[in-house]
Amino acid sequence: MAQERQNFPRKPVASAKAIVGGTEGLPYRFTVLTNGLIRYEYAADGVFEDRASTFAINRDLPIPDFRVVDKEDNLEIFTDKFHLRYDKKEFSPSGLSVQVKGNITDWKSMWRFGGGQFEDSMNLGGTARTLDGANGKIPLEQGVLATTGYSSIDDSRTMVFTKDGWIDGRQKSAKVDGYVFAFGFDYKQALKDFYAVSGQQPLVPRWALGNWWSRYYKYTDKELTALMDRFESENLPFSVTVLDMDWHWVDDRRVEESGFSGWTGYSWDTKVFPDPKGFLKGMHDRGLKICPNDHPADGIPSYEDMYPEMCKALGRDPKTGDPIPFDITNKDFLNAYFDILLKKLEDDGIDFWWIDWQQGPYSGIPGVDPLWMLNHYHFLNNTRGNKRPLTFSRFAGPGSHRYPVGFSGDSVISWESLNFQPEFTATASNIGYGWWSHDIGGHMQGYRDDELATRWVQLGVFSPILRLHSANNPWNAKEPWRFIPEARSAMNEALRLRHRLIPYIYSMNVRSARDGEPLVQPIYWKYPKIGSSFHYKNTYFFGDQLFVVPMTSPRDKVTRRTGVECWVPPGRHVDIFSGQIYDGNRTLKIFRQLDEYAVLAPEGAIIPFDAADSPRSHSANPEDLEIKVIVGADGDFMLYEDNGMGAGLDTVEWATTPIKYEQKSGTVTIGPASGDFKALPQKRNWKVTFVSLERNSKITSSSDGHQANECEAVTSTVGTSVSVTSAPVTSTITITVKSNTSSGPVLRIRDAMDDDVYALIAHAQMEFDRKSAVWEIINDREKPLLVRLAGLRGLKIDENLEAALAECLGADSRWHG
């Protein structure tokens, strides 16, 4: 087996100092992996499993502090987070338990072996293998978080890896192998423990964070090239082109005569791609990566180009014409599959594969799921040439986070499907799975709804991956120019925004791989003691600086805006696009027009953007950067960049640029950059935008400690911007907002009446006389806000208009207080 497929980081054998039992014929063994994670095993024959499993690849962890009380008929293990008790008999609910310390619920948080319906019902969920055919919410598998403060993973039946990197099924005798997480309210630490034993999320290539184009459609090379050129001419950036199954022979006489369906294929259809290498080079010249679809289940029929070579490698007679069955658990087949069948195509220019396995969990080795095999070995194989690996496949169970990116499957086109996807994406982080890619816009069936399609693309901007896709239907396509002007304009801006956000998302990608912090996180991770954080499952944190409120329902007929009820986390927050300011730790309904999206940042937030209005399709480190800053608290951000080489964190040559904001002095400090300067432009143009800064603020800038000069500031409805041009990346830039207060700059107090309310009423689809009545009540500034809102209630106006007015008037208590 090729070296790259044998070697993956793993340390499956725990230190003997962390183990209790398992010697001298004892049928039980416990391994204290962290102070909040313990492995429990029972083997009547006294033979235990020390090989890496699909879930657990690292058990040789730093030994935590723990204490053991071992008596003749019972055993106890204590850490600062749990107390395990065991009666030394065959595991049972009454004989094996783990008490979580802290009494986080109204009753004792105690895990018992066997779990049961109670444990399942309190689990906060993980993810699912697929969204194929889903039209809205579906059941989810279990995650490692639960409101009880504990959870467990049964690892008794998963496949294991041998020393040489091959796989095996579990030992045939009945054995128990499980893990208990005891975390209390520390949800983030539970996930860090999960990553410690199961491996960190890999570093995703920068180019994967741009827009992906995909469509189930029989393109010719000229059609697809012309389409990508059309995107470029429309200033719509893309970084990945996905080829669905029609890149290979499907509707061909040879396929028909073979008795196969054409579902599987490894030979270019030269009627539509007469020069595959030339086509692939043309895509690469345009800054695009290529990902073709592979449905591998049907194996290799005799008409495939590589059939003779595959037969030779596998000792088969090609003259028989017998198809080569797909058997990924056969080592000879696996080696030929990667080193002959796929390598020829990869040498021609294919960058990575879309593994579309849909045939279930069964293989030639009991307990070995072919999807696991495909995910694991495709990902390792993609490291050839020190390349940063990527694969595109389905979720196979705990541990799948090691093989990004996830393909969620063919969802139905509906508002119900859109409304479930934010929750589905965020909840997947509860099982460490942080890189889902959905069919943006939905895949199949459903109906034409331009508003729905627009909201889906906007959600894609704030998803791990933005990949447009659709079924093989002439009426179902995702090019923005196919939609009405209002939708087209909003989609265009969304696709451009995604590429503008790459500096931020890529830095969060580094954080994810290094610190065990997925890009998308449920808000209860940070606020587990506040009940409201569990109620609004569609809202989430996007990196550590942004809070997203997805627009997943249609506009109402009166305000012509989408309204979404949400809970804003504690602390003052600012919408980075509109400048609207919100008090925190409160529930309200947020409204947005079709070209708007609710993305909030707390005081002290720093968000880097590519400063280009229309970024190019390639994802190179930009020369022009915009930094959005929310004043009100100290903040810092580390901008990570590199040259794209290196398979993982330890092999990348980093270039880092620190960005800090000090509230008291009102100073933003950028740089100096350090590390691999070859990855960066020599000079950069910086634009710093203070979102919703108090107007008429005086701003100065200096470089490398030279005398500060007053800047020419540009003020818009969103904020105040200043620019520093042609600054060497090695320089230190300071930009200071002068303030009349000792506590530093402040967010401006927007006049809700002038900035928001008048436009809302003017655009409302309602009787003109009713508009006048509403304005008369709302504009009576002599009366307290609550009195005016009560007056609105008395008018019995549309409930959405009333809620939208309440949002404008009550968002920032400083205005009405």
Side-chain angles (χ1 to χ4, degrees), residues 257 313 379 470 598 630 728 789:
E257 291 175 353
F379 191 79
S470 52
I630 314 296
L789 292 176

Side-chain angles (χ1 to χ4, degrees), residues 57-106:
I57 63 172
N58 298 320
R59 303 187 191 99
D60 185 12
L61 302 174
I63 301 169
D65 291 332
F66 67 96
R67 182 168 57 91
V68 178
V69 177
D70 191 351
K71 297 182 180 180
E72 184 177 350
D73 58 354
N74 67 80
L75 173 72
E76 296 178 89
I77 301 175
F78 298 85
T79 74
D80 61 350
K81 287 196 172 182
F82 68 78
H83 174 196
L84 178 144
R85 290 181 289 181
Y86 171 48
D87 64 4
K88 294 192 173 182
K89 299 177 183 178
E90 186 173 356
F91 288 169
S92 68
S94 58
L96 177 61
S97 64
V98 175
Q99 170 73 57
V100 180
K101 294 184 177 180
N103 289 327
I104 69 161
T105 65
D106 292 336

Side-chain angles (χ1 to χ4, degrees), residues 526-527 530 541 567-573 582-586 602-603:
K526 191 171 182 179
Y527 300 103
I530 300 178
F541 293 113
W567 175 74
V568 180
R572 190 171 289 128
H573 286 68
Y582 294 91
D583 295 339
N585 197 14
R586 56 180 296 209
E603 292 175 317

Side-chain angles (χ1 to χ4, degrees), residues 549 551 559 561-564 566 568 575 578 580-583 586-593 596 598 600 750 752 756-757 760 785 789 792 799-813 815-816:
V549 182
M551 303 286 110
T559 71
R561 304 181 184 201
T562 295
V564 177
C566 69
V568 180
D575 187 309
S578 71
Q580 179 66 272
I581 300 167
Y582 294 91
D583 295 339
R586 56 180 296 209
T587 299
L588 77 163
K589 200 168 185 178
I590 285 180
F591 288 80
R592 293 294 184 270
Q593 299 180 72
E596 299 173 330
L600 312 186
R750 294 162 55 97
D756 307 301
V757 171
L760 178 60
L785 176 61
L789 292 176
L792 279 183
E799 62 180 6
N800 288 303
L801 176 59
E802 182 180 345
L805 289 167
E807 177 201 359
C808 295
L809 294 167
D812 183 359
S813 60
W815 178 76
H816 62 76

Side-chain angles (χ1 to χ4, degrees), residues 400-426:
S400 294
H401 63 277
R402 298 192 300 270
Y403 317 111
V405 164
F407 165 55
S408 67
D410 303 340
S411 61
V412 172
I413 300 170
S414 68
W415 283 102
E416 290 80 10
S417 290
L418 172 61
N419 190 50
F420 178 55
Q421 283 192 1
E423 176 186 348
F424 182 80
T425 306

Side-chain angles (χ1 to χ4, degrees), residues 235-254:
N235 293 318
L236 298 177
F238 282 84
S239 59
V240 177
T241 301
V242 180
L243 305 178
D244 213 316
M245 58 182 285
D246 287 296
W247 68 272
H248 59 71
W249 300 116
V250 177
D251 300 320
D252 184 79
R253 174 183 53 80
R254 286 166 290 189

Side-chain angles (χ1 to χ4, degrees), residues 102-115:
N103 289 327
I104 69 161
T105 65
D106 292 336
W107 58 92
K108 290 185 177 181
S109 292
M110 181 179 289
W111 171 86
R112 292 186 179 277
F113 175 77

